[in-house]
Amino acid sequence: MLRRLLRVFLALVALGFLGYGLARNWGETTAAVTALSPWAVLGAFGAVLAGQFCMLLAWRRVLAGLGSPLPLPVAGRIMFVGQLGKYIPGSVWAYAAMMELGRDHGSPPRRTFACISLSLVINLGVALSIAAATLATQQAVRQAWYLLLLVPVIIVCLHPKVLAWGLNLALRLARKEPLESVLPGRTVLVAVGWTALGWFVYGLHTWLLSGRWDLYVVATGAYAFAWATGLLTFVVPAGVGVREGAMILVLSPLIGTGPAYAVAVVSRLAFTLGDAVAAGIAFLLGRQASRSTAEYDDQNGSGSTALTPDRNRSGSPGA
């Protein structure tokens, strides 16, 4: 209870600083928001949804590599509906929701747990790598150089053997049975590829909102850096306030303080709405497709201990 109150307090503090900054730059910020083209805002929202789809493809690939190949609508239901738990103070709700939804569709909880953990590591590694490559000349990133030290650590951690050891350690701490096989390296590479594509698509939304057509590369790095900063500040639900602050630090010297606040606020609204829309669509499509998942329940029922990739009749890993 005390930890939950602390998280709520820290979230309110972060929001307080963001609100104070907005109040100080209210006129400039509102003018920047008003000046945004409706087409730019609509395009930004579309980029958010497209980026989320890329992340879903990466997430599904990892889950399949762990032995639970699910139809795309079902995987979307597990991921998008379950991740709404990130808006609740506490770090366990999204995990718990996704694991429970995975169980409903034949993916044992430890597989879903491992998939979530691995996907977060991949996302963080790709985001920090993009930030390092695109923002090396930006003062805000140079001041946060210590975050970039995580990049080589994450790359090492993505080696299949190191990855298996780390996931088994996390599973033991979560009191789950360990993995019995190493996640194929090809699966990791494909997931990294989809994740990287997702980040460059996300960059489109920051670029469109910035109104500077020459800043796509920096805009992509700005959101990647902001997201990574918000994730690492895990005590604040969904990185609220922290993510916006990091984005403002990067963009302010380039487009001005007011426009940077406008981009940060509209970006947060676009992603919050995107999460809700993606969850709604996935819930409806996943419900219809769930009837076809009986085969996965038979193969991988919630009590299954088999964690090697499922095999089809030819002996090759299932798609």
Side-chain angles (χ1 to χ4, degrees), residues 10 17 48 52 66 140 157 168-170 174 182 195 214 217-218 220 238 248 255 258 260 263 274-275 280 314 319:
L10 291 175
F17 278 109
V48 168
Q52 289 177 323
L66 290 171
C157 289
N168 284 333
L169 176 60
V182 176
T195 301
D214 58 330
V217 172
V218 173
T220 300
I248 291 165
I255 63 175
V263 171
D275 285 342
S314 66

Side-chain angles (χ1 to χ4, degrees), residues 210-232:
S210 71
R212 286 279 302 274
W213 311 115
D214 58 330
L215 289 182
Y216 169 69
V217 172
V218 173
T220 300
Y223 183 71
F225 174 71
W227 180 88
T229 303
L231 178 67
L232 292 171

Side-chain angles (χ1 to χ4, degrees), residues 165-179:
W165 177 84
L167 287 175
N168 284 333
L169 176 60
L171 287 167
R172 282 197 296 271
L173 293 175
R175 298 181 181 179
K176 304 292 181 184
E177 294 182 20
L179 299 173

Side-chain angles (χ1 to χ4, degrees), residues 92-107:
V92 300
W93 300 110
Y95 267 82
M98 294 168 80
M99 288 165 64
E100 191 61 29
L101 287 167
R103 186 201 301 270
D104 291 344
H105 295 289
S107 177

Side-chain angles (χ1 to χ4, degrees), residues 117-130 146-160 162-163 188 192 195 227-228 231-232:
S117 301
L118 174 57
S119 296
L120 279 176
V121 171
I122 291 175
N123 257 301
L124 182 60
V126 173
L128 287 174
S129 297
I130 290 175
Y146 49 87
L147 293 179
L148 303 182
L149 294 178
L150 292 174
V151 174
V153 175
I154 291 174
I155 291 174
V156 171
C157 289
L158 288 179
H159 187 280
V162 179
L163 182 61
V188 176
V192 168
T195 301
W227 180 88
L231 178 67
L232 292 171

Side-chain angles (χ1 to χ4, degrees), residues 4-22:
R4 185 179 299 180
L5 290 175
L6 177 60
R7 291 176 186 272
V8 172
F9 172 74
L10 291 175
L12 291 175
V13 170
L15 286 173
F17 278 109
L18 179 63
Y20 175 72
L22 278 172

